[in-house]
Amino acid sequence: MAGEPQSDCLFCKIVAGEVPATIVRESETTVAFRDINPQAPTHVLVIPKAHHADAAALAAAEPGIAADVLREAGEIAAQENVRGSGYRVVFNTGSGAGQTVFHAHAHVLGGRGLEWPPG
Ligand code: AMP
Ligand code: ZN
């Protein structure tokens, strides 16, 4: 069922504490942790605790939690001191766009120059 933990999902396992992660922030509905393969000095993933395959599915099913993810992304930027220099919030959606983990997540990237358009 939408939102329920999936036994084969890496990020559900991080939420459950079954896979270790460097957690930097947590709310009632979200967890934020450092990306294991950082692409910038700040590279934090913000995920809903509930399982949804991607950001669009999350927003359709639980819009309040989608808003929580966006708010937490901004709080992470402040916590990591990249709000002033600028940062990027990315939701890769679909394998053609580079999504590899099918549990919705926001990448918060900052601490270096970020090119536009992205690759
Ligand atoms: P995406 O490619 O947009 O689906 O993003 C998935 C992200 O999860 C990638 O940037 C990976 O480096 C990251 N990742 C994969 N496994 C882990 C893990 N165990 N802990 C933290 N980040 C991870
Ligand atoms: Zn999941």
Side-chain angles (χ1 to χ4, degrees):
M1 199 182 122
E4 296 298 317
Q6 303 291 304
S7 58
D8 59 348
C9 173
L10 174 65
F11 287 177
C12 282
K13 288 179 182 163
I14 287 177
V15 171
E18 293 164 12
V19 167
T22 304
I23 292 172
V24 295
R25 199 176 161 87
E26 188 169 358
S27 75
E28 197 179 316
T29 57
T30 66
V31 183
F33 53 91
R34 296 207 184 279
D35 196 292
I36 206 168
N37 182 23
Q39 301 301 313
T42 290
H43 189 173
V44 173
L45 302 176
V46 184
I47 70 170
K49 290 180 176 174
H51 179 91
H52 296 280
D54 58 37
L58 169 65
E62 305 202 71
I65 298 180
D68 294 343
V69 169
L70 289 179
R71 188 194 62 247
E72 287 297 307
E75 294 295 335
I76 289 291
Q79 195 171 302
E80 297 276 317
N81 289 312
V82 297
R83 199 173 249 181
S85 55
Y87 63 97
R88 191 166 288 159
V89 180
V90 174
F91 294 91
N92 293 329
T93 304
S95 53
Q99 187 177 4
T100 59
V101 178
F102 289 83
H103 178 132
H105 53 280
H107 295 258
V108 181
L109 296 150
R112 64 166 169 81
L114 295 165
E115 290 176 11
W116 190 262

